[in-house]
Amino acid sequence: MGQLNSEWDALRARHAATKDRTILSLFDASDRAGAFTASTGDMMLDYSKTNIDAETRERLGELFTAAQVPAKRTAMFSGHPINDTEGRAVLHTALRNLDGGPVKVGGKDVMPAVLDTLARMRAYATEVRDSAITDVVNIGIGGSDLGPAMAVEALAPYHDGPRCHFVSNVDGAHIADTLRGLDASTTLVIVASKTFTTIETMTNARTARAWMQEHGGDPTKQFAALSTADDLTANFGIPAERVFGFEDWVGGRYSMWGPIGLSLMIAIGPKAFDAFLRGGQAMDRHFQAADWHENLPVLLALVGIWHAQVCGYASRAVLPYDQRLKRLPDYFQQLEMESNGKSVRMDGTAVEVETGPIVWGAAGTNGQHAFYQLLHQGTRVIPCEFMVAAVGHEADLAHHHKLLVANCLAQSEALMRGRSLEEARAKMVKAGFTGAELERQARHRVFAGNRPSVTLVYPTLDPFTLGQIIALYEHRVFVEGVILGINSFDQWGVELGKELATSLQPVVEGTAPASGKDGSTAQLVDYILRHAG
Ligand code: F6P
């Protein structure tokens, strides 16, 4: 597959031809909203507040077809080694294939082992929930932290197990603040690390083990491990019955569906965790079966490609109107930026278009009082991805939820509609301004509008729906990666920093010279050593 030059050119031409019209003008067509909305089950994605019309959508579809996304999708689901810089299959979907057929890697069906581990997790989670354990501390980082930490908070209304805490940062403040106040005799520590070599996680795990020993707990009984590295978990002293393994075909940032989700399962119980898996599985089926015009992950990917690669908008804001989803932007940040932040195509040649956008965001309405000013009046266009449930969990506070929804819908409307100089002037006249001061003040109150957004809506944020949302974004990232021709499943870009940190450790400890370091790094080391005494 080449660089898809003619398809990109057609899209660039389409952008040039349509960029000066307003998104609002597209609503002159009778069924704009309905025609640019897709659903699966009760979930609905409205992408009508973008500058994509039927012709643009077809051009995007040509890109999807030319990139052979359906064939790559089949290759992924059927266990081909599509992560070819690491020689691995990509099969996180097998972890939620609860009642699907066999999934083969190298001719061997992986489902018996997946279902066996799931059964062991259920039994262990039930044992912990029924025991005297009051607190669970998950020690992990990146994909071994962000998913379960986000989901435990997102599903707080279903949380009926022990309290869960998450320690990720090697900064001693993180583990110190977390362990302070915990009873070591009723705390379970879960060491979550695919490789079981990550320096942050292993440092925190050793600190937690020492703390437990010193404070009357029993690390031989109160530690569990989630990892692909059986030999290393055994060396650490965690017996095999409390090790929950998975295979290298589960990428770190795609791993919360399996053992890495153990803390979530302990929090909400195996039944609710099953519902979460079923939500992911339902999205897998939709992604595999639905025509691209109706396919939520494909459409979300094509909207993303249109904005990032064609329109040139460098970042994307994820804006869940749900306080319990406040960590979702962080989770999607790793999912998208670690997956698609690449410069080289599968064949080793340079990518000729921009790759992954910068993903960031925060829960609404809080963000409205922080960075939305820039979204509305800044010089950069930042496509926004809103999401909100029709019904909140706090039945006695339903009026709060109505306000939340009203704010969410108001923001996408305001971003699109904007406020013209005439409208601003009329407002200022009413407020009593006249003459030059009226003109000056009015200009500050103009909103350019025409800023694109999509909105994802669903009945309520339950485990099934959260599973759908996560799988939706996973597949969106996959489709974008295929179109860009990159490998979304490796992460070589994190290696260099890790190597240099290892070489700098003895230097900042003062046991090795800073020789060979650049002047800036040597100067910073010198400062640290002087101030550290
Ligand atoms: O940051 C790089 C990375 O490898 C992520 O991809 C991964 O999620 C994280 O580190 C943690 O890795 P592990 O689970 O092996 O400790």
Side-chain angles (χ1 to χ4, degrees):
M1 196 187 78
Q3 295 264 10
L4 310 176
N5 290 332
S6 62
E7 287 78 11
W8 286 117
D9 284 347
L11 280 162
R12 285 183 201 111
R14 191 70 201 136
H15 175 53
T18 57
K19 69 179 170 37
D20 294 328
R21 72 179 172 199
T22 64
I23 298 171
L24 198 56
S25 68
L26 296 172
F27 285 84
D28 293 344
S30 58
D31 190 28
R32 167 72 191 172
F36 290 83
T37 290
S39 300
T40 176
D42 287 336
M43 177 174 277
M44 186 175 103
L45 173 71
D46 179 338
Y47 62 103
S48 62
K49 291 192 186 90
T50 65
N51 197 2
I52 295 172
D53 60 11
E55 193 180 330
T56 305
R57 184 167 57 192
E58 288 313 305
R59 296 290 88 77
L60 287 164
E62 285 160 10
L63 194 63
F64 167 83
T65 306
Q68 299 165 9
V69 176
K72 303 268 165 53
R73 176 176 58 196
T74 304
M76 176 173 74
F77 277 94
S78 45
H80 290 273
I82 62 166
N83 173 0
D84 75 352
T85 58
E86 296 181 309
R88 293 174 183 169
V90 173
L91 274 179
H92 48 280
T93 50
L95 301 175
R96 53 201 189 219
N97 179 31
L98 285 188
D99 38 29
V103 178
K104 294 197 173 160
V105 176
K108 188 175 166 233
D109 183 12
V110 300
M111 286 314 299
V114 166
L115 296 177
D116 179 60
T117 302
L118 183 57
R120 288 183 54 233
M121 284 171 64
R122 287 185 187 124
Y124 184 63
T126 304
E127 184 189 319
V128 172
R129 285 161 59 84
D130 290 345
S131 75
I133 293 293
T134 55
D135 294 88
V136 173
V137 179
N138 184 89
I139 297 180
I141 197 164
S144 299
D145 165 74
L146 290 164
M150 173 276 295
V152 164
E153 190 169 3
L155 299 178
Y158 302 85
H159 192 154
D160 55 3
R163 287 179 291 266
C164 288
H165 313 266
F166 293 86
V167 174
S168 52
N169 202 325
V170 75
D171 182 348
H174 202 175
I175 193 148
D177 287 353
T178 305
L179 297 182
R180 189 175 305 119
L182 295 190
D183 179 345
S185 67
T186 59
T187 295
L188 170 70
V189 174
I190 298 177
V191 186
S193 176
K194 179 176 168 177
T195 55
F196 229 68
T197 57
T198 304
I199 189 87
E200 294 94 327
T201 300
M202 298 324 297
T203 304
N204 280 323
R206 284 189 287 270
T207 299
R209 187 171 55 185
W211 166 82
M212 192 173 275
Q213 269 156 352
E214 273 168 36
H215 291 83
D218 183 354
T220 65
K221 298 204 175 77
Q222 292 164 240
F223 263 64
L226 320 173
S227 181
T228 56
D230 294 350
D231 47 340
L232 300 181
T233 55
N235 286 349
F236 192 86
I238 302 178
E241 69 264 22
R242 267 180 279 114
V243 176
F244 299 88
F246 52 105
E247 299 294 327
D248 65 5
W249 38 256
V250 180
R253 54 195 173 275
Y254 299 88
S255 63
M256 66 180 297
W257 309 97
I260 295 295
L262 182 63
S263 53
L264 174 64
M265 191 194 266
I266 293 173
I268 64 175
K271 221 171 133 203
F273 191 82
D274 266 18
F276 169 69
L277 295 184
R278 288 200 184 279
Q281 185 184 29
M283 189 57 73
D284 292 342
R285 289 181 172 158
H286 167 76
F287 177 50
Q288 288 174 283
D291 175 74
W292 74 263
H293 293 88
E294 305 295 331
N295 194 311
L296 267 67
V298 174
L299 291 168
L300 200 54
L302 294 179
V303 171
I305 291 275
W306 170 252
H307 288 147
Q309 280 73 29
V310 184
C311 302
Y313 306 144
S315 91
R316 169 192 295 164
V318 176
L319 307 168
Y321 273 65
D322 186 325
Q323 180 61 18
R324 295 189 179 112
L325 284 179
K326 73 173 189 294
R327 301 209 56 189
L328 191 67
D330 291 352
Y331 179 77
F332 285 162
Q333 191 173 63
Q334 185 200 20
L335 180 64
E336 299 216 21
M337 294 175 73
E338 198 165 82
S339 297
N340 288 345
K342 314 278 165 68
S343 321
V344 173
R345 290 160 47 84
M346 296 286 252
D347 63 8
T349 57
V351 195
E352 286 174 6
V353 290
E354 296 292 352
T355 57
I358 300 152
V359 176
W360 60 285
T365 59
N366 291 16
Q368 292 176 201
H369 301 274
F371 55 80
Y372 278 43
Q373 164 66 38
L374 184 149
L375 298 181
H376 287 287
Q377 287 190 318
T379 51
R380 293 177 177 84
V381 174
I382 299 177
C384 296
E385 301 191 347
F386 294 97
M387 57 185 78
V388 70
V391 182
H393 283 283
E394 283 60 41
D396 52 333
L397 298 174
H399 61 294
H400 281 249
H401 197 76
K402 300 270 182 239
L403 260 177
L404 183 76
V405 172
N407 271 278
C408 179
L409 305 189
Q411 290 301 326
S412 65
E413 187 187 356
L415 285 164
M416 173 175 70
R417 191 176 284 280
R419 176 181 285 151
S420 67
L421 182 58
E422 291 68 46
E423 289 166 330
R425 209 181 268 132
K427 249 181 134 27
M428 300 314 286
V429 168
K430 269 200 190 146
F433 286 87
T434 56
E437 189 57 4
L438 164 67
E439 290 307 312
R440 194 180 73 81
Q441 291 285 358
R443 281 176 200 284
H444 288 275
R445 286 152 175 87
V446 170
F447 291 70
N450 211 24
R451 303 204 162 188
S453 68
V454 300
T455 304
L456 185 72
V457 283
Y458 36 86
T460 200
L461 186 70
D462 56 19
F464 183 89
T465 305
L466 184 68
Q468 282 180 300
I469 295 173
I470 304 303
L472 165 64
Y473 272 74
E474 286 178 352
H475 293 321
R476 179 259 191 104
V477 168
F478 168 76
V479 174
E480 289 181 339
V482 171
I483 289 174
L484 297 170
I486 59 181
N487 180 2
S488 299
F489 300 102
D490 61 12
Q491 55 282 319
W492 298 110
V494 303
E495 294 302 322
L496 180 58
K498 284 187 193 172
E499 283 166 26
L500 292 181
T502 305
S503 74
L504 269 167
Q505 194 182 338
V507 179
V508 297
E509 282 168 351
T511 57
S515 52
K517 294 292 171 195
D518 59 88
S520 165
T521 306
Q523 168 180 272
L524 293 168
V525 166
D526 179 60
Y527 176 94
I528 298 287
L529 291 180
R530 275 190 289 112
H531 285 80

